[in-house]
Amino acid sequence: MSAELGEHVVCPCEPGRGTAAFGDQCPPRQRELMSQRLCGICGRAIKATSRLVFIGGPNAAFYIEPPVHPRCAAYALMVCPTLAAAEDVELTIARTYSLRERRMTGVSAEYKLTYDLFPYGDPAARSRGLLDFYLAFPENAHRIAAKEWLADHAPAL
C-alpha cells in the first residue's frame, strides 16, 4: 500500500540484476517509464519537444508498452525476432500522450479478473482497485505500418 498509488502490484526484480524477460512487463518499471516519459528500450528521457513512438497492433487505442525514441524503435524493429516477423505491427508517432490507471476491480462469474480505467493520479481511484499498469493514450498521433516506416522514414542507426 502506498499513499501515492494506493494498493498496487509490485515486482521482486531488481533493476540491473538478472535476465530480462522480453515480452513481459515489470509493473513498477512500466509505471516509472510511462510517468516520467522515459524510453522503454534505452531508459533515457524523451524530451517534451521530441517525437515518441509507440509500437503495437493496428489501430490500437492505447498502449501498455512505454514509448520509445524513434531511433530505439528502429533498432527494436530490426533486432527483435517477434517484431521483425510480425506483419501487422503499427507505429503510433506523437509528441504527447495522456495516462490512465488500469486497476483490477474484481473477478467475473467466469473467474477472470476485471479491470477499470481511472484518471491518472486520481486520489479516489486509490481505494477502487489494485493498480497494475498505466495505459498511454497518444494525442494528435500519426499511424504508420512498421515496415513502411522502417523502409522510408526511420532514422539511421
Side-chain angles (χ1 to χ4, degrees):
M1 176 79 159
S2 155
E4 180 184 342
L5 301 175
E7 293 288 337
H8 61 281
V9 176
V10 296
C11 184
C13 69
E14 294 179 44
R17 300 190 75 174
T19 303
F22 294 106
D24 288 343
Q25 287 283 347
C26 167
R29 181 74 174 144
Q30 185 267 4
R31 294 189 304 259
E32 175 188 17
L33 294 168
M34 290 283 215
S35 65
Q36 295 181 28
R37 197 178 161 107
L38 302 175
C39 177
I41 300 215
C42 72
R44 293 181 304 183
I46 302 172
K47 294 178 186 173
T49 56
S50 296
R51 290 179 304 136
L52 49 85
V53 177
F54 289 97
I55 302 172
N59 300 312
F62 59 84
Y63 296 86
I64 196 168
E65 297 280 343
V68 298
H69 296 103
R71 178 180 230 120
C72 291
Y75 175 77
L77 291 167
M78 289 190 286
V79 302
C80 172
T82 302
L83 292 175
E87 291 297 322
D88 62 348
V89 175
E90 183 177 83
L91 304 183
T92 299
I93 302 167
R95 291 192 189 278
T96 59
Y97 58 94
S98 61
L99 292 176
R100 291 196 178 75
E101 298 178 0
R102 185 178 87 166
R103 291 183 176 267
M104 293 180 261
T105 55
V107 179
S108 73
E110 296 81 31
Y111 302 104
K112 297 190 185 230
L113 292 173
T114 58
Y115 298 89
D116 284 313
L117 296 183
F118 296 92
Y120 173 69
D122 180 1
R126 296 177 192 150
S127 62
R128 303 279 309 275
L130 179 71
L131 172 65
D132 65 350
F133 294 110
Y134 292 150
L135 302 181
F137 291 77
E139 299 167 343
N140 301 314
H142 169 70
R143 296 176 187 275
I144 187 169
K147 291 189 185 298
E148 177 186 343
W149 182 80
L150 261 180
D152 301 330
H153 306 287
L157 295 182

